[in-house]
Every structure is written in C-alpha cells, then in structure tokens.
C-alpha cells in the first residue's frame, strides 16, 4: 500500500480584510464565521491604518500599472485588518475561499466566494491573500514583525513528524 513519506504540514498565510469591508462590522463578523467554518486557525489579527508610502511599498509589484494610484488610494482610505491564518494548504485554500481578483468575474465563475459576495469593484475587492510561502513570510513580517515565521515553521515540522 502507498504510504506518503512526507507528513501533511500546516501552512501560514497573510490575509487582509480591506477598508471597504472593515467599514461594515456586520460583514466582518460574517467573514469571521466563514473563516472558522473553512477550518482556518486565526493565529494573529491586527487592526491598522496605512500611510501612502506603506501601501505603495506593499503593492510595489504593481507600480506603474493603470490601477496603482487607485489601489493605493483605496488601501489608505480607512482602517483595515491583517490576519495570520493557518491550516493545511492555507495559501491555496484562502485564495480559493476569497475567489478571483475581479468581483464581477467571481460572481459569474465562483459565486460562493467572498469576493463575489462582498467585493464591490476591481479595486475595492475586499480581500487579500498571499500567493506563495515566500510571499506569505514577507507579508507576515510587514504586519507582524514580532512574529517569527521560521520558528513557527520549524515547530510545525517537528510536531507533524512526531
Ligand atoms: O489581490 P490579487 O492577488 O488577487 O490580485 P493582484 O493582481 O495581485 O492585484 C492586487 C490588487 O490590485 C487587487 O486585489 C485589487 O485590489 C487591485 N487591482 C485593481 O485595482 N485593478 C485591477 N485591474 C487588478 C487589481
Ligand atoms: Mg496578488
């Protein structure tokens, strides 16, 4: 019989509940419920407001694109929430739960996703999710400099193999 040699390991991702969403406390509590139902552990949360330069730095990969100024304006428009989420396949599963970047496309192709339900426009799409292990580490360190990603991963590997 096939026996996997590598144990399944929990993964971390960085999620954002963007400003349009955080302006609506009822929506935030509905989303917390969806997060729990999808078996994510909420490891840390932080409420914050960004300066223009913080938003520009986080989204620097999009600098020069037509939507960049619009995105920075949106992300500095009010308080928002950062979350460290954990589960098996957290990165892929969180991006699946939030759905496609564009809410209109999400409502057609993935109507049950969070961006389909809560997203407003291509820019004001209510959620962010890291897209790789490397990005997750970089993004977690931006919002939670006190959180040691490598230490968490080492402990997780040890726990899952014992
Ligand atoms: O957030 P995600 O990784 O799904 O998409 P992205 O392509 O990395 O874009 C980052 C963010 O830029 C999106 O979440 C949108 O808020 C914004 N965006 C936009 O305003 N207009 C677009 N045409 C594409 C993205
Ligand atoms: Mg992205």
């Amino acid at each position: 019989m096939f026996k996997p040699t590598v144990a399944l390991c929990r993964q971390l991702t960085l999620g954002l509940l963007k400003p349009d969403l955080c302006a609506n406390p009822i929506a935030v509590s509905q989303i917390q419920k969806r997060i729990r139902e999808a078996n994510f552990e909420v490891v840390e949360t932080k409420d914050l407001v960004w300066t223009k330069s913080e938003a520009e730095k986080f989204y620097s990969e999009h600098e020069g694109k037509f939507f960049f100024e619009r995105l920075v304006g949106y992300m500095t428009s009010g308080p928002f929430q950062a979350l460290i989420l954990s589960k098996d396949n957290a990165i892929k599963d969180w991006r699946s739960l939030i759905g496609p970047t564009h809410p209109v496309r999400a409502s057609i192709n993935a109507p049950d996703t969070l961006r389909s339900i809560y997203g407003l426009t291509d820019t004001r799409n209510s959620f962010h999710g890291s897209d790789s292990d490397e990005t997750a580490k970089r993004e977690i360190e931006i919002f939670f400099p006190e959180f040691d990603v490598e230490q968490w991963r080492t402990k997780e590997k040890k726990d899952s193999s014992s």
Side-chain angles (χ1 to χ4, degrees):
M1 202 178 95
F2 172 74
K3 269 193 175 175
T5 49
V6 182
L8 256 184
C9 208
R10 288 171 75 81
Q11 196 179 37
L12 294 175
T13 194
L14 186 277
L16 297 180
L17 309 187
K18 292 179 174 179
D20 56 310
L21 199 65
C22 289
N24 178 354
I26 294 172
V28 172
S29 65
Q30 289 167 348
I31 284 145
Q32 286 163 345
K33 187 164 172 272
R34 288 287 300 264
I35 291 173
R36 282 195 305 273
E37 284 168 358
N39 293 319
F40 286 94
E41 179 195 345
V42 179
V43 180
E44 295 284 348
T45 65
K46 196 171 275 184
D47 295 308
L48 66 152
V49 180
W50 254 347
T51 63
K52 189 165 181 273
S53 65
E54 286 169 324
E56 286 171 345
K57 191 164 172 228
F58 184 83
Y59 281 114
S60 60
E61 68 174 290
H62 296 300
E63 206 173 335
K65 293 186 186 164
F66 73 93
F67 59 82
F68 185 67
E69 291 302 319
R70 203 170 66 185
L71 173 60
V72 169
Y74 164 50
M75 290 306 299
T76 54
S77 66
F80 66 101
Q81 190 175 97
L83 306 98
I84 304 178
L85 299 171
S86 160
K87 78 187 283 290
D88 296 341
N89 298 315
I91 291 174
K92 189 170 152 288
D93 286 1
W94 174 244
R95 285 188 67 98
S96 298
L97 183 65
I98 66 177
T101 305
H102 304 284
V104 171
R105 280 184 218 162
S107 66
I108 295 164
N109 300 320
D112 196 36
T113 59
L114 298 179
R115 278 169 165 167
S116 161
I117 298 165
Y118 298 98
L120 302 171
T121 65
D122 284 358
T123 299
R124 299 165 76 203
N125 63 356
S126 310
F127 300 91
H128 169 82
S130 310
D131 58 15
S132 70
D133 263 323
E134 198 189 335
T135 316
K137 179 173 174 348
R138 182 177 70 80
E139 293 180 349
I140 288 169
E141 285 170 355
I142 289 172
F143 291 101
F144 302 91
E146 68 286 0
F147 186 89
D148 190 331
V149 173
E150 284 311 327
Q151 191 182 57
W152 187 95
R153 286 178 179 164
T154 306
K155 183 174 180 302
E156 190 53 36
K157 245 186 237 161
K158 221 192 279 165
D159 291 352
S160 66
S161 63
S162 61

